[in-house]
Amino acid sequence: MPYHYPKIEVIMASAMGYSHMRAVSREDSAQEYLRLVHESNAAQELSKRGQLDEAERRYRKLLVEKPAAGFDDVAVALTKHHLGEVLRRRGKLDEAEALLKEALAVRERHDRAAKIAVALSDSNITRDELAKVYEARGDCALALATRVPGKRICGNGDCQQLDYSELHACSRCRCVFYCSKGCQRADWKARHRAVCQPADAAP
């Protein structure tokens, strides 16, 4: 019979260089816990490789399985964030917005409770992803309103910097921010070129 223990989910945050450890609400088998962590990692790798249909399928399954296995709302919010990103990339913007708003509410509560004040917090990462949904809709004003001062991060999802004290806006739309020209070029090629509009363009 497998040993049961209060589960801890370890989520690698590569941009920050450390692991978040999330206490989960109930005991469950080590095998089930490890299986779900493996599934989360596999879905993330599929997303990175652009296999969005399979990544979406796995994240949807995880949204059912994680709560049933006793994962806490913060761990479930992480899955909602990742699924929201996949849906945004697939053009399913309404569902992406709903999931990201749910994830943001949980992550903001957690950041406040943990007194996390750094720019690259979980909630600010989700906030920026939500702003990308509004960019994709052509609503630059709402994207800018979502990226409030003090909570802005680099718009390049692959940025490895930690200091976002000096960010510059895209000179055309002025609703997304970057820490360097290199990050701006990378995001332009990967995403922003398709959605960038002049700052005075109506949504």
Side-chain angles (χ1 to χ4, degrees), residues 150-171:
K151 297 181 182 293
R152 292 170 180 165
I153 64 171
C154 181
N156 175 22
D158 293 326
C159 178
Q160 299 296 309
Q161 298 299 317
L162 299 179
D163 182 8
Y164 292 143
S165 57
E166 293 187 15
L167 294 170
H168 64 271
C170 169
S171 60

Side-chain angles (χ1 to χ4, degrees), residues 130-142:
L130 180 59
K132 289 176 181 177
V133 171
Y134 299 140
E135 282 186 74
R137 281 200 186 129
D139 194 339
C140 193
L142 188 52

